[in-house]
Amino acid sequence: MSSDSLPPLPQNRIVLGCGQVAVDFLATVASFPNPDDKIRSTSLKVQGGGNAGNASTCAARLGLNPRLISKVSNDSHGKGILEELEADGVDTSFFIVSEKGNSSFTYVIVDSQTKTRTCIHTPGYPPLIPEELSQSSLLSALDGVNMVYFDGRHHETALVVAKEAARKNIPILVEAEREREGLDDLLDFATYAICSAKFPQAWTEAPSFSSALISMLLRLPKLKFVIVTLGEEGCIMLERSVNGGSDAEEMDVQCLLESLKLIKDDSKTIPTCISSVETKLSADGIGTITGRLFVGTAEKIPPSELVDTTGAGDAFIGAVLYALCAGMPPEKMLPFAAQVAATGCRALGARTGLPLRTDPRLVSFL
């Protein structure tokens, strides 16, 4: 499909990310080594990584104009990180470059047998601190921005950015991969949240996965929706109703989730989405939220095509950023994001397989 036949790019195209960037050293092995083993890699790739770096790269390839606030050192890794981001169209002019220390890097072992990856991360040093981001730079970074995204790192600086973004009424997406220092403060400003499978229950201490979603929306009154990514099992999304829906029928959230899972079409290989009607969703001992529940499926990638899942969650977030800027409804956004993530899993590394907006696999979603 030619770029001329695609729908126009979103007018609201500028997104600002704040978070981690790194260099990934990716080694593919036949199978994960046992303790004290010596094995050989079957392939090796060195490329940029880090949640915010990957998500911003994904957003850029889809047609957005991402800016990124982060920090690297003036070393070979740091120079490579900046060059790669800039080549993909990510604005790095708000980076802090330290003359001392080291840039972040990660060793990634990709197991060809189980199709899993193991990450060993070394943080950058010295860390980014709020004093390094001047008020003028902050205001310039936020100028004209339509969405701000945080991956939970550099929490002190991120909080400064979040407060200013909230003051300017800019929507905020927060990634909640796991509990981190300062994440609670960031979530208080979140308009949207995307979580790992284990985060909602760990954070809320709710007795079940579904009740944890209710608890998150009750604890975070600014939150419009929460998405939980489940890998090959797809994703679950709970969206708060805008008007309150006082006439909506009340239903136990776990029962509704199970009923949606029963009617999803597992025969389809492409990502799909089913949703409830607007409902009063209740969870015993937690409370009630009026909204809609969505169950999204993942693409069934043929084993021969599945190479590496590194960065799949980052690709999903990058696609959600695009979808929100484009005004996609959830029924379209969730399959689109799942397709973008699945496309990236067909190549080694978090960024190698990230699709361009013109990729034939995205045509039906755009």
Side-chain angles (χ1 to χ4, degrees):
M1 186 175 188
S2 71
S3 58
D4 292 338
S5 57
L6 286 170
L9 284 163
Q11 291 184 343
N12 303 325
R13 293 174 56 188
I14 304 177
V15 294
L16 174 65
C18 178
Q20 185 187 54
V21 294
V23 172
D24 287 350
F25 295 87
L26 299 121
T28 303
V29 297
S31 61
F32 195 82
N34 294 314
D36 210 30
D37 269 359
K38 289 184 179 180
I39 62 172
R40 290 189 177 185
S41 62
T42 57
S43 64
L44 177 69
K45 191 173 190 68
V46 181
Q47 70 172 193
N51 295 34
N54 295 337
S56 297
T57 298
C58 179
R61 292 192 188 179
L62 292 173
L64 299 185
N65 296 330
R67 301 169 183 168
L68 192 51
I69 295 173
S70 192
K71 184 175 184 176
V72 294
S73 291
N74 189 21
D75 52 17
S76 60
H77 291 170
K79 292 173 183 176
I81 288 168
L82 295 176
E83 288 172 1
E84 190 173 337
L85 288 169
E86 289 162 3
D88 262 309
V90 179
D91 183 348
T92 63
S93 59
F94 301 101
F95 266 63
I96 305 300
V97 180
S98 172
E99 292 301 322
K100 299 179 180 179
N102 64 276
S103 299
S104 299
F105 61 93
T106 305
Y107 296 117
V108 184
I109 303 172
V110 181
D111 187 334
S112 298
Q113 189 175 61
T114 62
K115 307 294 186 181
T116 58
R117 87 285 185 272
T118 302
C119 302
I120 306 168
H121 181 64
T122 300
Y125 184 85
L128 178 63
I129 56 174
E131 290 75 16
E132 292 177 300
L133 182 67
S134 68
Q135 182 68 10
S136 61
S137 290
L138 172 59
L139 294 177
S140 295
L142 287 168
D143 184 43
V145 163
N146 307 105
M147 183 84 57
V148 180
Y149 153 63
F150 301 100
D151 69 4
R153 275 75 164 198
H154 305 309
H155 65 277
E156 293 177 331
T157 305
L159 187 58
V160 172
V161 178
K163 287 178 178 178
E164 186 62 29
R167 195 182 68 81
K168 294 177 175 291
N169 295 315
I170 301 172
I172 294 171
L173 188 154
V174 175
E175 175 187 1
E177 187 177 37
R178 59 183 176 85
E179 294 185 82
R180 301 181 189 277
E181 186 178 359
L183 181 58
D184 286 15
D185 295 329
L186 273 181
L187 284 170
D188 284 337
F189 289 95
T191 318
Y192 314 103
I194 299 181
C195 310
S196 64
K198 295 180 180 178
F199 180 82
Q201 272 188 270
W203 190 68
T204 64
E205 299 182 347
S208 67
F209 171 83
S210 56
S211 63
L213 300 185
I214 299 287
S215 181
M216 283 191 71
L217 287 187
L218 289 173
R219 287 178 59 176
L220 302 169
K222 296 179 182 178
L223 203 61
K224 292 185 177 180
F225 69 61
V226 55
I227 298 173
V228 181
T229 57
L230 304 170
E232 64 182 13
E233 296 300 318
C235 64
I236 307 292
M237 171 176 162
L238 179 57
E239 178 187 50
R240 189 193 306 271
S241 174
V242 176
N243 56 23
S246 57
D247 297 329
E249 179 184 357
E250 184 167 334
M251 188 172 184
D252 178 78
V253 66
Q254 182 61 35
C255 292
L256 179 57
L257 179 58
E258 293 302 323
S259 68
L260 290 176
K261 287 181 177 180
L262 286 174
I263 63 174
K264 70 177 182 178
D265 189 351
D266 288 322
S267 66
K268 292 187 177 180
T269 58
I270 62 171
T272 60
C273 177
I274 56 173
S275 68
S276 71
V277 297
E278 189 174 275
T279 308
K280 283 184 179 177
L281 299 165
S282 62
D284 285 345
I286 304 293
T288 303
I289 282 287
T290 302
R292 290 199 297 163
L293 194 64
F294 299 80
V295 174
T297 65
E299 182 188 1
K300 292 181 172 62
I301 306 174
S304 60
E305 296 181 21
L306 179 59
V307 176
D308 179 19
T309 60
T310 301
D314 304 331
F316 186 95
I317 289 173
V320 168
L321 288 171
Y322 175 90
L324 289 170
C325 289
M328 283 188 191
E331 296 89 343
K332 188 175 181 180
M333 175 179 71
L334 297 181
F336 170 71
Q339 184 64 66
V340 170
T343 302
C345 292
R346 287 173 160 87
L348 181 62
R351 301 183 189 174
T352 310
L354 287 177
L356 295 170
R357 188 169 176 268
T358 53
D359 191 297
R361 284 167 288 206
L362 304 185
V363 168
S364 62
F365 301 96
L366 295 173

